[in-house]
Amino acid sequence: MVAPPGDFRAVHVTPQQALRDLDKAYANVLAGRAGYPSPRKKGVNGAFRFQGREIEVKRLNGKWSAARLPKIGWVKFHDTRLLRGKTLN
């Protein structure tokens, strides 16, 4: 899911996941599998992740669904394909 432009509350919600991603990126650098990670830039990539136990997804109609995210609330999104299985991230 992508945070809407100007919605910076999402940045403060998941610092643990961001630190896990950074740790994994530097582990890949030290192992020689990748180059150094580039810093995030405002407005370029607003993606963030939640742990699956914290979100709830409900189907609104044939094309739209909504996800309840902690500290943000219900966020509508367009279904491009069916969500199968259990939502993890």
Side-chain angles (χ1 to χ4, degrees):
M1 308 196 123
V2 178
D7 190 0
F8 299 107
R9 293 177 291 176
V11 175
H12 301 290
V13 175
T14 59
Q16 290 178 347
Q17 192 64 44
L19 289 175
R20 285 186 198 119
D21 292 342
L22 184 63
D23 182 52
K24 188 173 183 179
Y26 277 110
N28 287 335
V29 167
L30 295 176
R33 292 185 293 258
Y36 281 96
S38 58
R40 291 188 176 194
K41 296 177 183 173
K42 181 179 176 181
V44 174
N45 184 4
F48 59 95
R49 290 184 290 174
F50 286 103
Q51 296 296 325
R53 67 182 183 274
E54 298 176 352
I55 65 171
E56 176 186 345
V57 178
K58 69 177 178 180
R59 187 110 173 151
L60 299 176
N61 58 34
K63 293 183 179 180
W64 291 93
S65 291
R68 188 186 56 78
L69 305 174
K71 297 184 182 181
I72 294 177
W74 287 98
V75 178
K76 285 176 45 175
F77 63 94
H78 187 265
D79 285 332
T80 56
R81 61 187 102 157
L82 293 175
L83 294 175
R84 294 182 291 167
K86 185 177 178 183
T87 306
L88 298 177
N89 276 335

